[in-house]
Amino acid sequence: MADEDETKEYRWESGYEKTWEAIKEDDDGLLESNVADLVARAKRKRAALKDTGAIQLGMMRHLFVVVDASACMFLQDLKPTRFLCVLKLLEVFVHEFFDLNPISQLGILTTKMKRSEQITVLAGNQKKHIEALQQLKDLSCEGEPSLQNSLERAMNGLKNMPAYSSREILVLFGSLTTCDPGDIQKTIKSLKDNNIRVSIIGLAAEVRICQEIAKKTGGTYNVLIDDHHLKELILNQVQPPAVAGSMEASLVKMGFPGGSPIVNDGTSDSSADHAPAYCLCHIESETSSLMGPNGYNCPQCGSRYCELPVECKQCGLTLVSAPHLARSYHHLFPIKPFIERAQVRETTHCFACAKLFVEAETNVIIIVNFRLCLFYHSLPFLFLLKVYECENCNQIVCLDCDLFIRETLHTCPGCASDPVTAQMKTN
Amino acid sequence: MLELKRALDAKGHCLLEMPSGTGKTTTLLSLIVAYMKAHPLDLTKLVYCSRTVPEIEKVMEELRKLMNYYEKEMGMEQNILGLALSSRKNLCIHPSVSKEREGKVVDGRCYSLTASFVRARHAADDAVPICEFYEGFDAHGKEFPLPPGVYNLDDLKEYGQMKRWCPYFLARHTITHANIVVYSYHYLLDPKIAEVVSKEISKTSVVVFDEAHNIDNVCIDSMSVKITKRLLDKCSNSITILETTISNMKENDSKRLEKEYKRLVEGLRDATIARETDMALVNPVLPSEILEEAVPGTIRTAEHFVAFLKRVVEYIKTRLRVQHVVQESPAGFLRDIHTKVCIDRKPLRFSAERLASLIRTLEISDLTDFSPLVTVSHFATLVSTYTKGFTIIIEPFEDRAPTVSNPILYFSCLDSSIAIKPVFNRFQTVVITSGTLSPLDMYPKILDFHPVIMTSFTMTLARPCILPMIVSKGNDQVAMSSRYETREDTAVIRNYGNLLVEVAAAVPDGIVCFFTSYLYLETIVSSWYDQGIIDQLQRHKLLFIETQDAAETSLALINYIKACDNGRGAVLLSVARGKVSEGIDFDHHLGRAVLMFGIPYVYTQSRILRARLEYLRDQFQIRENDFLTFDAMRHAAQCLGRCMRGKTDYGIMILADKRFSRADKRSKLPKWIQEHLKDTNCNLSTEECVQICKRWLRQMAQPFSREDQLGISLLTLEQLQSEEMQKKIQQRAQGV
């Protein structure tokens, strides 16, 4: 984010930064050396909270991202400006989103000058969205935003989506005010009736109406502290949410294009396969290139695509590959949260990383220990090391591994290595 | 609680400052109720005085919760009767009377339906209308006490409807044996009402004055009289009515007048007896020595009294015809009235009683017309009774409009202890409490009592949910102050404007601003308009202004709330000491920030105030400046407290005046605000202030759940019982 030299402000133009205030002493005159530890714990708490409630997850998501483009997005409390920072993070978000939710669709809206504009329509092609986001950077931010208008517009787009998909709106809201033409309560009500979940990330402070919208529609409302926190908040939205209310189970028609066109799988005719073809994703752009032999053909109409997943332009079939589906599979079977316990004497090593339990947190504790030995009895919680136990295989891991397993691995190494439980899971 | 218990044990008075939203009401109620249960002989009754009807309702809600809890825990019906009392206006269920809007009219019409002579007449002639609800109550209600329980105003009405009894009289009747009575201050402090309503409350009661930071002003208002020319004209009218009625009655029914005469000769002996047996609350309007005497001969007969009243009214009229301001003591007034129209002190003293008696005898049912006359008679009685602690000021015109002749006679009470003294003397424990009572030591002085306990509590919070800041200068380093000399300075006004605009851009939802006076508000807004600040402001939020018109203000308030609710955000410009600053809560999103522009000193040029200051200096050795600062700071604190109504709430408090950072002002803020007012936040410029706001708002916006509070500001039973916590509580209690 530091590459835009022309937008970089002079030091004296920026806000006061009291860097020394980031370092805080607690009541006993200690520096908060265990901040990182606390953050990790908080993370774990969040993860645990999210996991417990989810029974059925909406794997097929239709999401509108609403980006505030009002005057306040030019403020520089996020570097270089709020708007650019948000766009940058959104690119990451779009990428991650399609990575984790390959069969979902996304659209982008902006709101400024009391109106709302559509940047991209609901589509499953991440390249398009990222391109659009990059173009947005030149957009000038002005006027006031309108929550109602953008929600209405997003709602119109989502209304007709099939009932088995999860309809969501994510608003990145920098302003503290909204300029609406009518009663926003009605909009909230119809959002609720349409089963649309609105999540809002505030960039400045807690605004009551946002809180209310999120609460009533079953979404989340968060306000960032700094840009790292914002990234975390945005990426939290990548995980598919639990299904709200009754969502009907139904069969979705999908196409699995053959991996390589050379292999004649019988779905398309062999003469067409060998002819040079344009890929449909790039046919509109000037620099469209002739496709090489590697491409995917739609099993229904035979159109070619250079990339999956995509929605077929010709026949509207969702084209995915098997690994994509498999990747979203873990959403359906999230691992159970590990149980937090005080350290057990018998096990001294983490099952996953094989480190000694003490090592991980010694640094923190030693510092604390010297200063606090007097208060030992009054502050017992500081010294009790927490370890985490899997419910199924009873293996014990450390905090770092717990987070890793939860956020990246999505499978418990203990269970996976144990032939009995692994068998059970696959069955 | 500990402190309160001590006060109850000692049977003394106490003064408690507790921040709003920390369960003040619940604490008071639960301890006192528990005490009542434990020592039923020592403590028989709780009288809880609050300010407004919604506040009364809130107290009743708390009480109901408490009772439900008792029932659940003890598993049986509680034998405690709690009820709320309000004016007839709020309690009347008579189909036509209750439609009236104005309290006085309702009172008058009620009286015309329920007075004893009206009912007597009704017995003779069915055409005379009476109130069926009152009849119902009179016939049956007195024998059957209200079943134990908690009754708020609506419950009383419902009960009244069900039984066809008048809820107002039912409540008034029930007061004598209810365990908990909740009503407005005035029922206890205003001598005119107190006599009717509260005189039979037993001595072993606890009296709680909630939201009592203005109690001295209430006391003073209840004893002060303001007479305008219009009022006197009305008096003359009612005197002529009296005259005609008397002459009529003389022709028809002279016996009644004779009877009255005889009664007056016997004097007010019954009242004396009542007071000796300690049955009644001492009425400060009616000092005891009067009771022992008979009504003087000169005003015993009705005609003479009316003539006497006429003279008094005429005399006051002549006095109002002055061209310059006159200030004199009651003694001087008495001398003057004696030399000019030959009226003695003694008959003046009895005029209130005599008038009441006359009206009763004449069977005048519509009291509303006579209220001016009653006011004058009260004035006469007061002026002749008290020579100390009062002053008379006659102003021929208002200060703001010196050319318009609008003579007003102020008879103002200077000593707030006069009205409250009987309360302190009579009841074993009086608890004065509010969110903002600091500085505490001033109250015992001006109310002239000796509290056994005087404590200020702070809040235990899981997060710093208030952010008090003193902004002393603008971005251009020009000091901000509402000082008289710099008041008109455009730089100061502009800086105030910029501060508001920047805060409005950084703070979500509602912002409330307080100015020192309506005049100042108007000048500032008009120059903001010229400077284009209003335009800038409206880009962020809508703007609402409090005016002196109550209807307009309430409309503005409704729209303000609407704007906050639907996310547009709003700024409310209002005035310290105005309607908004007293009694209207801006909780959660309605008041994310409070700005105090300037120090809300009272209008120091007012003659009444100056007279009071002088009196305070002479009698209580309180320096003028101390009192002014005290008064200003308590109002400032009151305004600031508007945004903070509970532990989950949060709000910014910005004091925009250089003078706030001085020690004498800062130290007078309530402790719970001072605790959060760090030295680094005491001398900020606009920009610094906005930066701090932004960061703080983000922190506050992070999800805050019940668990986070647990163990810090919310304790489970186990935690409460744990030894560690006990120690902590002990420590805190001693630290206070």
Side-chain angles (χ1 to χ4, degrees):
Chain A
M1 267 168 267
D3 49 352
E4 288 92 351
D5 268 349
E6 64 279 3
T7 54
K8 205 173 174 199
E9 63 198 349
Y10 289 107
R11 194 70 192 84
W12 57 85
E13 285 177 346
S14 64
Y16 294 104
E17 283 178 43
K18 295 189 178 170
T19 44
W20 59 92
E21 278 190 359
I23 307 163
K24 272 185 201 142
E25 285 188 2
D26 57 16
D27 296 339
D28 308 303
L30 291 170
L31 293 183
E32 273 185 42
S33 45
N34 45 2
V35 171
D37 188 41
L38 289 177
V39 169
R41 272 180 214 279
K43 243 186 207 172
R44 186 168 193 287
K45 205 171 165 189
R46 246 194 320 272
L49 274 179
K50 207 158 50 188
D51 283 352
T52 46
I55 302 155
Q56 189 189 356
L57 291 165
M59 262 172 58
M60 191 147 185
R61 303 169 70 187
H62 289 96
L63 172 75
F64 263 112
V65 179
V66 178
V67 185
D68 184 357
S70 60
C72 68
M73 291 301 277
F74 262 150
L75 290 182
Q76 299 177 329
D77 50 359
L78 298 173
K79 302 286 180 271
T81 66
R82 279 186 189 176
F83 194 57
L84 294 177
C85 180
V86 164
L87 290 182
K88 201 113 189 170
L89 288 172
L90 269 184
E91 280 175 35
V92 181
F93 170 74
V94 169
H95 189 79
E96 293 271 315
F97 179 80
F98 284 111
D99 206 38
L100 270 175
N101 312 284
I103 49 174
S104 302
Q105 295 191 356
L106 189 128
I108 299 172
L109 299 175
T110 59
T111 172
K112 65 173 186 176
M113 309 268 286
K114 301 166 195 161
R115 267 169 297 181
S116 156
E117 278 168 46
Q118 185 136 22
I119 304 299
T120 57
V121 290
L122 273 183
N125 189 341
Q126 56 163 309
K127 269 197 182 154
K128 245 190 191 164
H129 295 304
I130 290 178
E131 259 167 45
L133 282 175
Q134 272 158 0
Q135 275 163 18
L136 266 186
K137 280 184 184 165
D138 304 326
L139 191 78
S140 68
C141 300
E142 51 196 333
E144 293 100 351
S146 168
L147 259 184
Q148 195 189 10
N149 280 338
S150 35
L151 289 180
E152 291 271 356
R153 183 174 275 251
M155 187 163 63
N156 285 336
L158 289 172
K159 236 190 234 165
N160 305 320
M161 288 300 136
Y164 53 80
S165 73
S166 144
R167 309 163 188 183
E168 294 163 56
I169 300 174
L170 170 65
V171 188
L172 292 161
F173 203 59
S175 168
L176 295 174
T177 172
T178 156
C179 228
D180 296 332
D183 186 6
I184 197 161
Q185 298 294 342
K186 278 182 198 154
T187 315
I188 299 176
K189 203 170 169 292
S190 56
L191 282 170
K192 214 179 152 199
D193 293 342
N194 279 313
N195 246 333
I196 296 173
R197 184 197 313 261
V198 184
S199 293
I200 301 176
I201 298 176
L203 304 184
E206 184 186 345
V207 182
R208 174 57 162 239
I209 194 70
C210 298
Q211 176 93 35
E212 200 177 318
I213 293 173
K215 202 173 165 195
K216 282 193 178 159
T217 59
T220 55
Y221 177 57
N222 286 301
V223 178
L224 69 117
I225 291 176
D226 52 22
D227 45 356
H228 298 294
H229 189 221
L230 175 64
K231 187 173 179 185
E232 196 181 303
L233 288 178
I234 291 184
L235 292 185
N236 272 349
Q237 299 292 330
V238 168
Q239 297 277 339
V243 170
S246 57
M247 199 184 268
E248 57 189 80
S250 63
L251 294 171
V252 187
K253 196 173 177 188
M254 280 187 193
F256 296 90
S260 155
I262 302 159
V263 184
N264 194 344
D265 52 0
T267 51
S268 53
D269 135 326
S270 53
S271 60
D273 277 343
H274 297 288
Y278 289 104
C279 112
L280 274 183
C281 346
H282 294 99
I283 203 157
E284 285 146 20
S285 55
E286 308 266 310
T287 56
S288 70
S289 54
L290 215 58
M291 262 181 67
N294 296 328
Y296 306 93
N297 287 0
C298 169
Q300 194 161 277
C301 64
S303 337
R304 259 188 170 211
Y305 296 94
C306 57
E307 242 188 11
L308 291 182
V310 75
E311 193 179 349
C312 178
K313 283 198 175 167
Q314 300 288 330
C315 57
L317 190 67
T318 313
L319 304 180
V320 288
S321 66
H324 282 135
L325 270 190
R327 219 166 20 191
S328 28
Y329 192 71
H330 76 256
H331 294 316
L332 294 182
F333 303 101
I335 50 169
K336 279 185 193 159
F338 288 2
I339 308 156
E340 189 176 74
R341 336 182 146 268
Q343 188 183 359
V344 198
R345 294 241 172 259
E346 301 87 68
T347 43
T348 49
H349 291 74
C350 168
F351 178 78
C353 60
K355 272 187 196 156
L356 262 180
F357 276 130
V358 207
E359 273 174 29
E361 290 179 49
T362 342
N363 310 346
V364 176
I365 287 165
I366 285 177
I367 301 169
V368 177
N369 224 342
F370 279 123
R371 300 285 298 270
L372 264 187
C373 49
L374 290 175
F375 302 96
Y376 191 92
H377 295 289
S378 59
L379 297 163
F381 59 89
L382 263 181
F383 304 94
L384 281 184
L385 200 55
K386 290 284 191 310
V387 293
Y388 302 90
E389 185 183 326
C390 172
E391 261 179 48
N392 285 335
C393 60
N394 297 336
Q395 294 296 356
I396 289 175
V397 298
C398 64
L399 176 66
D400 292 334
C401 290
D402 174 49
L403 290 175
F404 179 71
I405 290 168
R406 191 161 311 287
E407 286 171 359
T408 324
L409 218 50
H410 300 295
T411 175
C412 167
C415 300
S417 60
D418 184 354
V420 183
T421 46
Q423 198 63 38
M424 266 167 58
K425 208 173 176 186
T426 43
N427 290 343
Chain B
M1 250 192 184
L2 202 68
E3 310 289 332
L4 185 60
K5 169 87 165 50
R6 271 187 214 147
L8 288 178
D9 284 340
K11 298 199 170 151
H13 310 314
C14 75
L15 207 61
L16 301 172
E17 181 183 60
M18 273 169 90
S20 39
T22 51
K24 193 168 42 196
T25 316
T26 315
T27 316
L28 284 171
L29 284 177
S30 49
L31 180 68
I32 293 174
V33 169
Y35 203 95
M36 266 193 316
K37 283 179 163 296
H39 309 271
L41 293 176
D42 293 346
L43 192 66
T44 51
K45 196 194 274 291
L46 162 65
V47 181
Y48 198 102
C49 301
S50 201
R51 227 170 14 176
T52 57
V53 175
E55 274 164 5
I56 290 173
E57 294 283 319
K58 257 191 269 173
V59 175
M60 292 318 284
E61 249 351 273
E62 295 283 344
L63 185 62
R64 192 186 306 265
K65 271 187 219 155
L66 181 71
M67 285 302 142
N68 286 343
Y69 182 74
Y70 260 114
E71 239 160 66
K72 217 172 71 194
E73 293 293 302
M74 318 272 273
M76 54 173 178
E77 288 278 309
Q78 291 304 306
N79 193 23
I80 280 186
L81 176 62
L83 88 162
L85 176 65
S86 180
S87 65
R88 288 184 176 89
K89 187 183 142 215
N90 295 321
L91 276 176
C92 188
I93 53 171
H94 188 272
S96 70
V97 177
S98 57
K99 295 281 182 311
E100 298 287 350
R101 287 273 180 81
E102 226 168 297
K104 259 188 192 165
V105 182
V106 176
D107 286 355
R109 287 198 54 187
C110 183
Y111 185 75
S112 69
L113 291 175
T114 56
S116 54
F117 57 82
V118 176
R119 297 176 56 225
R121 239 186 268 162
H122 174 78
D125 174 13
D126 275 342
V128 178
I130 50 162
C131 176
E132 55 157 323
F133 296 102
Y134 182 75
E135 293 303 316
F137 166 71
D138 199 51
H140 313 288
K142 281 186 178 157
E143 285 88 51
F144 302 103
L146 218 55
V150 178
Y151 298 87
N152 64 12
L153 299 179
D154 285 337
D155 293 340
L156 279 173
K157 274 193 199 174
E158 218 169 84
Y159 189 78
Q161 284 283 13
M162 195 180 74
K163 295 259 182 184
R164 317 287 299 161
W165 292 349
C166 176
Y168 174 75
F169 285 98
L170 178 67
R172 264 183 53 181
H173 177 68
T174 318
I175 282 183
T176 46
H177 62 262
N179 305 87
I180 299 165
V181 183
V182 182
Y183 55 36
S184 152
Y185 291 165
H186 297 280
Y187 288 115
L188 212 51
L189 290 182
D190 195 328
K192 295 156 235 162
I193 316 174
E195 195 192 5
V196 188
V197 178
S198 315
K199 67 175 174 191
E200 278 165 17
I201 292 176
S202 74
K203 206 170 153 28
T204 50
S205 311
V206 177
V207 177
V208 177
F209 289 103
D210 199 358
E211 304 288 340
H213 43 271
N214 268 348
I215 196 165
D216 57 322
N217 290 342
V218 176
C219 295
I220 284 177
D221 284 346
S222 68
M223 298 289 280
S224 297
V225 183
K226 182 175 142 188
I227 297 175
T228 60
K229 201 149 182 206
R230 274 215 5 241
L231 193 110
L232 286 177
D233 290 340
K234 276 190 198 155
C235 281
S236 311
N237 285 344
S238 21
I239 288 176
T240 31
I241 297 174
L242 275 184
E243 264 177 342
T244 48
T245 343
I246 289 171
S247 57
N248 277 347
M249 187 171 278
K250 237 183 169 178
E251 282 165 18
N252 302 335
D253 191 5
S254 55
K255 235 186 251 163
R256 192 135 18 110
L257 287 175
E258 264 168 46
K259 221 194 269 168
E260 187 201 13
Y261 182 86
K262 268 185 202 141
R263 207 180 57 219
L264 292 174
V265 175
E266 280 179 19
L268 305 157
R269 213 159 287 154
D270 328 340
T272 331
I273 293 165
R275 190 165 295 180
E276 273 168 0
T277 51
D278 200 35
M279 288 290 285
L281 182 71
V282 182
N283 181 352
V285 176
L286 202 68
S288 15
E289 61 264 34
I290 297 186
L291 296 175
E292 282 145 28
E293 301 169 39
V295 172
T298 45
I299 56 169
R300 255 180 238 170
T301 54
E303 296 103 327
H304 290 170
F305 178 63
V306 171
F308 166 81
L309 271 183
K310 222 181 197 169
R311 277 206 329 262
V312 173
V313 170
E314 284 308 317
Y315 170 72
I316 298 174
K317 266 190 191 166
T318 54
R319 289 303 305 269
L320 280 183
R321 235 169 268 141
V322 286
Q323 290 304 314
H324 53 92
V325 179
V326 179
Q327 179 172 3
E328 63 183 357
S329 66
F333 182 85
L334 286 178
R335 201 182 321 114
D336 197 53
I337 199 171
H338 184 69
T339 52
K340 289 232 176 84
V341 285
C342 302
I343 290 180
D344 276 332
R345 183 174 172 183
K346 206 169 160 197
L348 268 181
R349 258 197 204 180
F350 284 92
S351 60
E353 282 297 296
R354 184 66 188 89
L355 182 68
S357 147
L358 183 64
I359 289 176
R360 230 176 297 133
T361 324
L362 294 182
E363 302 186 349
I364 294 164
S365 50
D366 195 4
L367 275 182
T368 17
D369 295 344
F370 285 94
S371 62
L373 199 58
V374 174
T375 316
V376 171
S377 71
H378 273 297
F379 164 68
T381 308
L382 283 171
V383 82
S384 50
T385 312
Y386 292 101
T387 47
K388 254 173 73 179
F390 287 84
T391 189
I392 296 166
I393 294 169
I394 305 170
E395 284 182 344
F397 43 72
E398 273 183 55
D399 275 348
R400 279 180 211 156
T403 48
V404 186
S405 165
N406 180 22
I408 298 173
L409 183 142
Y410 296 101
F411 176 68
S412 83
C413 172
L414 304 175
D415 189 349
S416 47
S417 61
I418 293 175
I420 204 168
K421 187 165 253 155
V423 177
F424 281 128
N425 287 343
R426 178 162 173 80
F427 299 112
Q428 64 176 24
T429 304
V430 176
V431 181
I432 293 182
T433 174
S434 171
T436 48
L437 276 181
S438 294
L440 284 171
D441 52 342
M442 191 61 99
Y443 284 90
K445 273 193 210 158
I446 57 176
L447 297 178
D448 196 21
F449 74 109
H450 302 285
V452 284
I453 303 286
M454 200 159 74
T455 324
S456 172
F457 296 98
T458 60
M459 274 191 281
T460 316
L461 293 166
R463 56 176 190 173
C465 65
I466 58 172
L467 177 67
M469 285 184 288
I470 297 173
V471 179
S472 56
K473 49 193 185 282
N475 284 339
D476 51 5
Q477 303 301 317
V478 174
M480 283 198 259
S481 174
S482 68
R483 228 152 35 113
Y484 192 69
E485 297 85 58
T486 59
R487 206 166 253 213
E488 307 292 321
D489 192 349
T490 45
V492 172
I493 295 178
R494 193 186 56 236
N495 272 339
Y496 273 149
N498 284 337
L499 174 68
L500 181 56
V501 169
E502 294 207 14
V503 169
V507 175
D509 300 325
I511 296 178
V512 190
C513 305
F514 289 101
F515 291 84
T516 51
S517 66
Y518 285 105
L519 201 70
Y520 190 51
L521 170 70
E522 279 160 27
T523 51
I524 281 212
V525 169
S526 67
S527 54
W528 278 355
Y529 194 78
D530 294 337
Q531 291 167 353
I533 284 170
I534 298 282
D535 283 343
Q536 286 177 41
L537 195 61
Q538 277 181 328
R539 227 174 285 158
H540 301 292
K541 292 191 192 303
L542 302 181
L543 191 66
F544 297 96
I545 298 177
E546 181 193 5
T547 58
Q548 264 153 320
D549 183 357
E552 225 171 70
T553 304
S554 57
L555 191 69
L557 265 175
I558 289 169
N559 284 318
Y560 170 81
I561 292 169
K562 217 169 164 185
C564 291
D565 277 340
N566 65 22
R568 181 71 182 91
V571 176
L572 180 68
L573 304 183
S574 56
V575 172
R577 295 160 202 281
K579 186 188 167 213
V580 171
S581 69
E582 295 283 334
I584 294 176
D585 290 347
F586 296 97
D587 48 355
H588 296 282
H589 66 295
L590 296 182
R592 278 290 177 237
V594 176
L595 279 93
M596 185 83 232
F597 292 115
I599 300 180
Y601 279 118
V602 274
Y603 178 58
T604 43
Q605 301 303 307
S606 146
R607 287 180 187 83
I608 301 170
L609 178 74
R610 274 195 282 179
R612 188 172 172 206
L613 286 177
E614 227 163 80
Y615 182 79
L616 284 176
R617 191 189 52 205
D618 296 345
Q619 296 297 316
F620 298 114
Q621 286 79 45
I622 300 171
R623 281 191 302 143
E624 282 109 327
N625 231 341
D626 280 351
F627 183 77
L628 284 176
T629 318
F630 152 76
D631 189 60
M633 290 315 286
R634 74 170 165 185
H635 276 102
Q638 184 59 25
C639 295
L640 295 179
R642 294 294 95 197
C643 72
M644 186 60 205
R645 308 316 284 179
K647 283 182 179 175
T648 51
D649 202 356
Y650 62 88
I652 299 170
M653 301 168 172
I654 297 176
L655 298 151
D657 194 310
K658 202 178 87 177
R659 293 172 291 171
F660 277 119
S661 50
R662 284 190 210 147
D664 64 323
K665 312 279 189 307
R666 247 181 88 185
S667 60
K668 288 199 168 67
L669 283 172
K671 212 168 167 188
W672 57 278
I673 296 181
Q674 265 187 59
E675 201 181 47
H676 291 272
L677 184 61
K678 280 175 275 173
D679 280 337
T680 45
N681 288 355
C682 275
N683 190 11
L684 301 173
S685 73
T686 304
E687 206 174 336
E688 287 167 326
C689 154
V690 170
Q691 291 292 336
I692 294 173
C693 284
K694 277 186 182 165
R695 189 164 342 116
W696 183 80
L697 279 170
R698 283 185 179 162
Q699 274 167 11
M700 283 300 115
Q702 299 314 312
F704 181 63
S705 62
R706 223 181 139 81
E707 288 89 63
D708 295 330
Q709 288 188 31
L710 215 71
I712 303 172
S713 59
L714 204 67
L715 301 175
T716 59
L717 191 61
E718 294 87 61
Q719 276 170 330
L720 190 66
Q721 282 165 347
S722 77
E723 208 175 318
E724 200 184 313
M725 200 43 85
Q726 289 288 342
K727 241 182 252 167
K728 221 168 162 184
I729 291 169
Q730 281 288 328
Q731 259 176 7
R732 188 159 294 145
Q734 280 162 8
V736 166

